[in-house]
């Protein structure tokens, strides 16, 4: 096996990619309903961002990207924009554009999904445990912004954990997730140098005793790792309970594979049955774990 092949295999980016359309289907909602919900979440995210920037005296675009909670909110919003596009396209044509995209974009989409179910829960935990102050909710716009970025963010993440048919992320995803989190620490200190303030008080070394600051940084990484494996386990549990325990079938597009000439949904069901059979034979969650 060549090095590139091992790389793509390690990240579960197979050819063909997402053959049973796990990213675009659910056992609870039709593709159209799932796509519309995702589009609604994306619209809410875009609206909250635009309103925040439009109000005089609120943080500007440059300062906004200095906060990890804002970066996470942008990530959730853009994931739902792309996910709604792929899901509604699949509902209309029976094929998601994501399946024909270049491999590096397929990898980017699956990695973005992993961040969307990991970072929001971490942001929520850290905010309410370490940063909450009544003053942050004194003004209506601040209250709405904080509720969106530090509470609804986790609601959106839980939706993506519980409703779509996505498989649990590959373990290797924890590495780029940690690297990106570490990259944010660099952004925070660049902000201090250029703007003269720390985005988060706990990142200020002068406020901590020797050794405590290092412990905080390590602790943040540990929280991220724990959250990643918890949400991964929840995704695995959803797949096991809905598909293996309850035997629920995916709600596929009514136009599934029509462009290929079979004109029906049976081909999608056949692929799904094959996937489930191989899962039992291999004794693993699935060899088609694209996320």
């Amino acid at each position: 096996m060549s090095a590139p092949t091992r790389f793509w295999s390690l990240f579960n980016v197979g050819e063909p990619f997402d053959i049973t359309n796990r990213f675009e289907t659910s056992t609870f909602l039709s593709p159209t309903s799932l796509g519309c919900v995702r589009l609604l979440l994306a619209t809410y995210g875009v609206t909250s961002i635009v309103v925040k920037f439009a109000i005089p005296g609120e943080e500007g675009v440059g300062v906004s990207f200095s906060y990890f909670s804002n970066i996470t909110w942008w990530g959730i919003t853009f994931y739902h924009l792309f996910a709604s596009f792929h899901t509604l396209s699949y509902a209309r044509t029976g094929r998601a554009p994501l399946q024909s995209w270049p491999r590096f974009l397929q990898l980017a989409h699956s990695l973005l999904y992993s961040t969307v179910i990991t970072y929001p829960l971490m942001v929520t935990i850290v905010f309410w445990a370490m940063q909450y102050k009544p003053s942050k909710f004194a003004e209506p716009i601040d209250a709405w912004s904080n509720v969106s970025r530090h509470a609804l963010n986790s609601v959106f993440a839980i939706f993506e954990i519980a409703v779509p048919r996505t498989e649990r992320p590959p373990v290797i995803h924890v590495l780029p997730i940690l690297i990106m989190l570490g990259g944010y620490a660099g952004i925070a200190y660049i902000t201090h140098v250029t703007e003269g303030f720390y985005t988060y008080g706990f990142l200020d070394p002068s406020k901590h005793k020797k050794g405590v600051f290092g412990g905080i940084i390590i602790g943040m990484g540990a929280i991220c790792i724990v959250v990643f494996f918890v949400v991964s386990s929840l995704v695995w549990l959803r797949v096991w309970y809905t598909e293996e325990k309850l035997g629920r079938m995916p709600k596929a597009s009514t136009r599934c594979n029509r462009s290929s000439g079979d004109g029906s949904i049976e081909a999608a069901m056949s692929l799904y049955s094959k996937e489930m059979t191989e899962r039992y034979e291999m004794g693993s969650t699935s060899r088609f774990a694209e996320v």
Side-chain angles (χ1 to χ4, degrees):
M1 183 182 294
S2 64
T5 300
R6 285 197 297 269
F7 174 83
W8 296 119
S9 177
L10 188 62
F11 283 90
N12 287 331
V13 181
E15 286 188 312
F17 179 77
D18 192 20
I19 192 170
T20 61
N21 295 101
R22 286 189 170 275
F23 276 113
E24 299 85 27
T25 56
S26 169
T27 59
F28 305 106
L29 300 175
S30 69
T32 300
S33 297
L34 177 61
C36 287
V37 171
R38 283 170 160 170
L39 183 59
L40 178 64
L41 299 182
T43 302
Y44 177 86
V46 171
T47 301
S48 69
I49 291 170
V50 171
V51 170
K52 185 75 171 176
F53 289 157
I55 296 177
E58 293 295 319
E59 62 192 28
V61 176
V63 174
S64 176
F65 281 103
S66 295
Y67 292 89
F68 188 71
S69 56
N70 290 342
I71 295 173
T72 300
W73 186 248
W74 278 79
I76 297 171
T77 299
F78 273 93
Y79 176 79
H80 282 126
L81 278 173
F82 282 108
S84 63
F85 166 68
H86 292 302
T87 306
L88 292 174
S89 295
Y90 168 75
R92 184 175 64 87
T93 66
R95 183 173 179 80
L98 181 63
Q99 293 177 302
S100 59
W101 279 14
R103 271 186 161 189
F104 77 94
L105 290 179
Q106 294 170 343
L107 171 59
H109 188 83
S110 82
L111 183 56
L112 182 57
Y113 172 79
S114 296
T115 65
V116 162
I117 63 173
T118 302
Y119 287 153
L121 296 176
M122 178 183 175
V123 167
T124 297
I125 292 170
V126 172
F127 176 81
W128 294 101
M130 301 178 63
Q131 296 178 279
Y132 168 76
K133 296 178 181 178
S135 60
K136 292 180 179 289
F137 295 82
E139 298 295 331
I141 184 63
D142 294 330
W144 177 46
S145 179
N146 279 307
V147 167
S148 296
R149 288 160 172 75
H150 303 113
L152 290 181
N153 62 334
S154 288
V155 174
F156 293 178
I158 291 170
F159 173 83
E160 288 296 333
I161 292 170
V163 177
R165 291 178 54 248
T166 44
E167 290 269 8
R168 65 177 173 181
V171 174
I172 192 67
H173 277 193
V174 74
L175 293 180
I177 284 175
L178 281 174
I179 290 171
M180 286 186 283
L181 182 64
Y184 170 72
I187 294 176
Y189 289 107
I190 291 174
T191 299
H192 172 65
V193 172
T194 59
E195 303 293 335
F197 70 93
Y198 287 99
T199 51
Y200 301 106
F202 59 81
L203 291 177
D204 185 354
S206 66
K207 293 184 177 181
H208 307 291
K209 296 181 180 179
K210 185 177 181 180
V212 174
F213 177 70
I216 291 175
I217 298 300
I218 294 173
M220 290 298 162
I223 292 173
C224 184
I225 293 172
V226 169
V227 171
F228 173 82
F229 283 107
V230 168
V231 298
S232 295
S233 299
L234 290 175
V235 172
W236 174 87
L237 182 63
R238 183 253 300 154
V239 172
W240 173 82
Y241 185 72
T242 59
E243 300 182 23
E244 298 187 19
K245 183 72 172 178
L246 298 182
R248 293 180 65 96
M249 299 293 286
K251 295 183 181 295
S253 169
T254 56
R255 295 179 178 271
C256 187
N257 286 319
R258 185 163 295 175
S259 60
S260 299
D262 67 13
S264 72
I265 202 172
E266 280 75 12
M269 296 301 99
S270 176
L271 288 171
Y272 174 73
S273 297
K274 180 181 178 181
E275 178 183 7
M276 296 302 294
T277 299
E278 292 184 358
R279 174 181 298 167
Y280 283 119
E281 290 177 350
M282 295 174 66
S284 63
T285 304
S286 172
R287 68 180 264 196
F288 296 104
E290 278 85 20
V291 296

